[in-house]
Amino acid sequence: MKKWGVVLALLLALTCIASAQETGIIADLLKRSAKEKVARMQQLIGFDNDKANQLCKLETTFLLEVWKVETCSLCNRKKRVGKLKTKREADLQKILSRDEYIKYQSLEYELLNENVPVWLSINSRTGEVPDCR
């Protein structure tokens, strides 16, 4: 009887340790992802390092909270993620100027293609570039 108790306690301890390591690995990946995203946005938009640090914290917190919601089995995921997105948008507007915020959103939602100049306009029906003379 005592052996089973010890074995059960060891299995429980190993399970807790494994889940803690997994959480740490996922958190590190999310932090790295947020840093890379903010660095790319800073390079494209050109905001200062102070804003970049604030955005990195904001994006990391947002990603961690979304991950927690997605792993919660009893949560209303859609509603909670919606609230997190709304809070993130409000915080982005506090950190960035209006122009920077619009560019950030445009790049994030891929409304602008980074590799194509904004001034280039192609007719979607014919595929022709307009003559600008």
Side-chain angles (χ1 to χ4, degrees):
M1 189 72 171
K2 290 181 182 180
K3 290 181 182 178
W4 286 107
V6 171
V7 170
L8 188 60
L10 284 174
L11 286 175
L12 183 63
L14 288 174
T15 304
C16 291
I17 291 171
S19 68
Q21 287 178 344
E22 180 182 329
T23 302
I25 292 170
I26 291 172
D28 289 341
L29 287 173
L30 293 176
K31 286 177 187 177
R32 188 178 317 137
S33 172
K35 280 184 180 181
E36 290 172 2
K37 176 183 177 180
V38 171
R40 185 176 64 88
M41 293 292 195
Q42 184 180 19
Q43 186 178 33
L44 293 171
I45 298 172
F47 46 81
D48 60 10
N49 289 334
D50 184 43
K51 287 182 182 181
N53 290 335
Q54 291 176 358
L55 288 173
C56 190
K57 289 177 187 174
L58 174 69
E59 292 291 348
T60 301
T61 304
F62 173 73
L63 290 175
L64 288 171
E65 290 297 319
V66 169
W67 178 70
K68 286 178 188 176
V69 169
E70 291 296 328
T71 57
C72 178
S73 60
L74 300 174
C75 302
N76 184 348
R77 292 179 183 139
K78 188 175 182 179
K79 188 175 183 179
R80 290 192 60 193
V81 170
K83 286 181 180 181
L84 290 171
K85 285 182 180 181
T86 303
K87 183 182 182 310
R88 178 179 165 268
E89 295 298 320
D91 291 343
L92 278 174
Q93 290 178 12
K94 290 176 187 175
I95 296 170
L96 298 171
S97 68
R98 186 171 189 274
D99 291 340
E100 291 170 341
Y101 173 75
I102 291 170
K103 290 176 186 176
Y104 193 92
Q105 291 300 92
S106 298
L107 290 169
E108 182 174 29
Y109 295 118
E110 296 178 356
L111 299 175
L112 294 177
N113 188 346
E114 305 168 13
N115 301 322
V116 178
V118 176
W119 52 266
L120 183 61
S121 171
I122 298 176
N123 187 335
S124 60
R125 292 183 190 159
T126 62
E128 297 175 4
V129 177
D131 189 17
C132 300
R133 292 181 199 184

